[in-house]
Amino acid sequence: MIKFLPQIITVTCVTVSTFIYIKGIRNNTVKPILATRIFLLLAFLLSALTNYSQTGTNGLSANIFNIVDILSILVTFIAMGKSKNNHRKFTKFEKICLYFVILIFLMWIASGQNILANILIQIILVIAYLPTVIHLWKSEENTESLSAWSLDFFASIFGMIVPLLVMDLLPLIYGIRSTISTFVIIALILRIKFRKVELQKNSLILSSLQF
């Protein structure tokens, strides 16, 4: 039981995060970018495929974070498909990102370079977060779930423990990339929340001065 504790915590964090995210989508408190989710789904799949091709079934335990991420994104993607309140249109930038994912997939099929393809996918996964990052940076309203992203952050941390212990490179890179990406999203969410609190304080001060 203790041996599999990191995997159990990782799966639990991702599962709870997914349920929170879906609840937010249904309540219209969370408005995710559809393009980001499509990028993540395709990139997560390719990341898992290249890792499996490199390590086989022996690497599945170390790569559990990637696997549960795929299931999470798939379920969230289905929930978004039923929602009327999400950004569906692809921008030119988002289309270019999608083309790069497809290009890496074709290069991997042709060359069989698992490590190179996996590292390139991690770069694409960073790019996949950019629509959400840009949206949060420009927005004055938080459209993401802080609790869900926080759980993803902790899942990333615990998801790196097994790869570190067995020195499995690709899942470790995946975990590091995810930790940094989710931390940036959390920081932007908190930035919006703090700015909102400051605006409310300033509004109260101005109101009191008028009297």
Side-chain angles (χ1 to χ4, degrees):
M1 184 71 176
I2 296 176
K3 180 182 177 181
F4 297 104
L5 188 60
Q7 291 99 320
I8 292 170
I9 294 174
T10 298
V11 172
T12 302
C13 286
V14 174
T15 302
V16 175
S17 170
T18 304
F19 279 112
I20 291 173
Y21 216 80
I22 291 173
K23 185 179 179 180
I25 292 171
R26 289 178 176 176
N27 295 339
N28 199 28
T29 56
V30 174
K31 301 172 185 177
I33 309 296
L34 184 61
T36 300
R37 296 289 144 176
I38 292 174
F39 295 152
L40 291 177
L41 180 59
L42 293 176
F44 284 171
L45 281 168
L46 187 51
S47 177
L49 284 172
T50 53
N51 184 79
Y52 180 77
S53 181
Q54 180 70 19
T55 61
T57 54
N58 293 329
L60 290 177
S61 176
N63 202 37
I64 190 68
F65 180 39
N66 192 171
I67 295 169
V68 294
D69 260 350
I70 292 171
L71 297 175
S72 172
I73 290 292
L74 185 60
V75 172
T76 306
F77 186 72
I78 293 170
M80 288 177 64
K82 295 179 180 180
S83 173
K84 296 178 181 179
N85 299 307
N86 55 67
H87 305 274
R88 294 174 181 273
K89 292 183 179 180
F90 281 76
T91 64
K92 185 178 180 180
F93 170 77
E94 291 162 354
K95 288 178 181 178
I96 291 172
C97 292
L98 185 59
Y99 294 151
F100 269 110
V101 172
I102 296 170
L103 180 62
I104 292 171
F105 174 72
L106 294 175
M107 288 171 59
W108 172 62
I109 292 295
S111 67
Q113 294 292 324
N114 298 317
I115 295 176
L116 177 61
N118 192 281
I119 291 172
L120 289 174
I121 279 299
Q122 302 316 313
I123 295 171
I124 292 297
L125 279 167
V126 173
I127 295 172
Y129 280 94
L130 287 180
T132 300
V133 168
I134 293 168
H135 174 74
L136 287 173
W137 179 261
K138 293 180 178 179
S139 179
E140 294 182 1
E141 178 189 357
N142 177 35
T143 56
E144 296 288 336
S145 170
L146 178 60
S147 54
W149 281 103
S150 298
L151 284 166
D152 284 342
F153 176 75
F154 286 115
S156 303
I157 297 293
F158 284 99
M160 289 190 291
I161 293 175
V162 175
L164 273 171
L165 292 174
V166 299
M167 293 306 295
D168 198 336
L169 178 63
L170 297 185
L172 182 59
I173 293 173
Y174 182 92
I176 293 170
R177 188 272 315 154
S178 179
T179 301
I180 295 170
S181 299
T182 50
F183 179 79
V184 170
I185 297 292
I186 291 168
L188 288 171
I189 292 172
L190 291 174
R191 174 177 173 267
I192 293 172
K193 288 182 175 292
F194 287 143
R195 285 177 65 185
K196 203 166 187 178
V197 170
E198 286 297 318
L199 286 172
Q200 289 174 347
K201 285 182 179 178
N202 291 337
S203 179
L204 287 171
I205 292 169
L206 287 172
S207 297
S208 62
L209 288 174
Q210 286 176 356
F211 288 103

